[in-house]
Amino acid sequence: MIPVSGYSGAKVAVLGLGRSGLVTARALRAGGAEAVCWDDNPAAREVAEGEGFTCRDLTRGGAFDDIATLIVSPGIPHLYPTINPVVQAALTAGVPVDNDIGLFFRSVATREWDNFEQMPRVVAVTGSNGKSTTVALLHHILCEAGRESQLAGNIGRGVLDIDPPSDGGIVVLELSSYQTELARALTPDVAVFTNLSPDHLDRHAGMGGYFAAKRRLFAEGGPDRAIIGIDEDEGAFLAGQLSEGPSDDRVIRVSATRKLSGPGWQVFAKKGFLSEFRKGRQVAALDLRSIPGLPGTHNHQNACAAYAAARTLGLAPRQIEDSLATYPGLPHRSQLIGETGGVRFVNDSKATNLDSAIKALSAFPKIRWICGGLEKEGGLAALQGQTGTVAKAYVIGREAANFAMQLDVEAEVCTTMEVAVARAVADADPGDTVLLAPAAASFDQYDNFEQRGDAFIAEVRRHLSSENP
């Protein structure tokens, strides 16, 4: 655990007692503060009280009279689409608002670091898509190279739940826009921006607010190295803002769509080959095409970002190449479930927005596409013209018929996962890929995208077991 510093003897309010909230309360207590907790859910309050924490209704008048700061869990909107009443009460009382990410960055470095031969480092990754794969891949590379690495944030453990990093240790964080938008301290040593596409727009009051939340990781923190995906205008703009000139190698530009040139530091993938250029010269080249855990252009972009981060941490190209070959992939992200009769089954339940689904569709040549769910703001117009690899769509979800009508490919309304997998299997020919890439949220039928992916896996395995008794 990372004990929170700076609040010893003070009362700190914690709003939201889910995974990160309870960990935050424990870390505050470990640092000598008194955590005053609140959650609308009585069961969550009961758990906190069982651990000896005081629970106080923070919506009542005078609740913030003795509070030093308010820590808000990331799932709670603090400003848009409407300001949370507890946050509003804190601001009215003049109480600062922060989150566990801010507490982590102000607390992770200790005086003990003065005795280390090599300072620990923090790598933070944000963006719309590919964050989880990028951090998991970097963590895998570091572990394979024998480096101490801990994975935390929006994946794995909560940031305050990890062990204090030891001499030369690396902390790899996945940070969502919900986490970067509110943190009062953001000081990673290496910051990574994967890409940007419309998502969570209601939470950020539009695309500009969404980009601004991501940009804070770089503008507020001033990382030693910034690795920026420049395949979208926002990424190119961000790289330009951070760079002092074309040869400034503190900014590493990354692309999965074109060759990059110039006197700076670039890492790009083209036709399945990753290349690193510095000062106009090629430093290394790797073949990504045969790595089963990284199919498709979007995963090649993730590989470029993880490669660049590993290079900033002192790893050699050959070390990284060897580690990439053993990367197993993440559950629910281009996850190969099995193959029978020449038909592959791939679970990409994490493809909850249109951009991530489009990228998944570009990774395979002939697809039986299982899609549908709770549509996000903006509809499905961006899918038009992006479904050339799709032989047929099999639509799930409570509004499957409406979803299917918006697609520009043959679509069958299946509603349930069981029916969708069965129909896709019946239609599939050798060489086809049955792909779950929903292009929608899961909450109309499932608690989360993981549960939806597990349902797909269960149906696929039932089919595979019947084919191979």
Side-chain angles (χ1 to χ4, degrees):
M1 176 167 289
I2 306 292
V4 174
S5 63
Y7 293 105
S8 180
K11 290 183 179 180
V12 177
V14 178
L15 176 62
L17 298 173
R19 181 181 69 121
S20 66
L22 266 181
V23 168
T24 298
R26 295 172 191 143
L28 284 162
R29 182 162 59 188
E34 179 183 348
V36 178
C37 303
W38 184 250
D39 193 296
D40 291 337
N41 186 346
R45 299 198 300 269
E46 185 176 348
V47 172
E49 288 171 340
E51 294 192 24
F53 294 111
T54 298
C55 286
R56 176 193 298 178
D57 187 348
L58 297 174
T59 64
R60 292 183 177 177
F64 285 94
D65 287 351
D66 57 351
I67 298 298
T69 194
L70 170 66
I71 307 303
V72 180
S73 293
I76 298 173
H78 62 276
L79 187 56
Y80 301 113
T82 58
I83 189 167
N84 182 277
V86 173
V87 174
Q88 188 171 48
L91 297 176
T92 300
V95 172
V97 180
D98 203 348
N99 62 14
D100 62 330
I101 304 301
L103 295 181
F104 167 83
F105 277 111
R106 69 178 290 166
S107 305
V108 65
T110 65
R111 290 181 179 177
E112 185 183 9
W113 288 23
D114 294 337
N115 301 318
F116 291 165
E117 291 186 10
Q118 186 175 0
M119 288 290 183
R121 304 185 76 185
V122 177
V123 181
V125 179
T126 195
S128 294
N129 300 306
K131 298 185 298 296
S132 296
T133 297
T134 299
V135 296
L137 181 55
L138 176 58
H139 175 66
H140 174 78
I141 292 168
L142 292 168
C143 291
E144 289 290 294
R147 300 284 293 273
E148 176 195 307
S149 176
Q150 297 186 78
L151 190 61
N154 205 40
I155 188 174
R157 298 161 70 183
V159 291
L160 295 171
D161 195 37
I162 66 171
D163 299 323
S166 59
D167 197 333
I170 308 295
V171 178
V172 183
L173 302 180
E174 177 189 341
L175 299 182
S176 71
S177 57
Y178 291 6
Q179 294 168 309
T180 59
E181 69 174 342
L182 191 58
R184 293 173 66 88
L186 284 168
T187 54
D189 299 284
V190 180
V192 181
F193 177 89
T194 58
N195 50 58
L196 197 77
S197 60
D199 207 359
H200 311 302
L201 300 188
D202 57 338
R203 172 69 178 258
H204 301 293
M207 196 68 176
Y210 180 46
F211 176 50
K214 301 287 189 185
R215 181 182 174 277
R216 288 192 76 245
L217 182 63
F218 304 85
E220 301 288 330
D224 296 333
R225 299 277 187 187
I227 298 163
I228 311 293
I230 61 168
D231 288 336
E232 292 84 30
D233 291 341
E234 291 88 351
F237 178 78
L238 180 59
Q241 281 196 311
L242 297 172
S243 176
E244 294 294 332
S247 61
D248 185 356
D249 67 0
R250 295 173 303 170
V251 177
I252 305 174
R253 290 169 170 83
V254 167
S255 175
T257 62
R258 65 189 188 278
K259 178 179 179 179
L260 302 179
S261 60
W265 194 349
Q266 298 98 17
V267 178
F268 60 88
K270 189 174 181 181
K271 296 183 178 179
F273 288 89
L274 181 153
S275 298
E276 177 188 4
F277 274 71
R278 296 189 74 173
K279 299 179 180 179
R281 301 177 120 188
Q282 186 168 4
V283 176
L286 315 179
D287 187 352
L288 303 173
R289 295 173 300 173
S290 61
I291 300 174
L294 297 169
T297 300
H298 61 303
N299 276 311
H300 294 172
Q301 182 187 53
N302 301 333
C304 288
Y307 174 95
R311 291 288 283 140
T312 69
L313 298 171
L315 273 67
R318 183 57 184 271
Q319 285 179 291
I320 302 171
E321 182 176 19
D322 292 344
S323 300
L324 289 174
T326 60
Y327 176 64
L330 274 176
H332 312 296
R333 295 147 174 103
S334 300
Q335 178 188 12
L336 179 63
I337 304 305
E339 185 172 346
T340 186
V343 178
R344 288 180 295 182
F345 297 86
V346 176
N347 167 30
D348 204 340
S349 185
K350 184 62 170 64
T352 59
N353 60 42
L354 302 190
D355 186 66
S356 57
I358 289 168
K359 289 175 178 176
L361 293 177
S362 70
F364 307 99
K366 187 181 177 186
I367 295 170
R368 302 286 169 178
W369 179 29
I370 299 177
C371 58
L374 189 63
E375 282 185 44
K376 294 192 174 182
E377 184 179 346
L380 306 180
L383 288 172
Q384 298 295 314
Q386 303 294 326
T387 55
T389 59
V390 177
K392 184 178 176 181
Y394 306 81
V395 187
I396 63 173
R398 293 179 184 173
E399 302 295 331
N402 181 61
F403 196 102
M405 289 176 59
Q406 300 179 65
L407 301 178
D408 61 352
V409 295
E410 180 186 356
E412 181 175 342
V413 175
C414 298
T415 306
T416 67
M417 188 69 72
E418 179 182 8
V419 173
V421 172
R423 295 299 304 136
V425 166
D427 291 344
D429 298 316
D432 287 2
T433 297
V434 176
L435 171 69
L436 172 65
S442 59
F443 305 124
D444 59 332
Q445 290 182 307
Y446 303 98
D447 290 340
N448 48 52
F449 73 84
E450 293 96 340
Q451 191 181 85
R452 177 173 57 192
D454 290 340
F456 173 74
I457 292 170
E459 292 301 324
V460 168
R461 287 180 175 165
R462 189 160 65 87
H463 166 71
L464 292 176
S465 64
S466 66
E467 289 285 309
N468 302 287

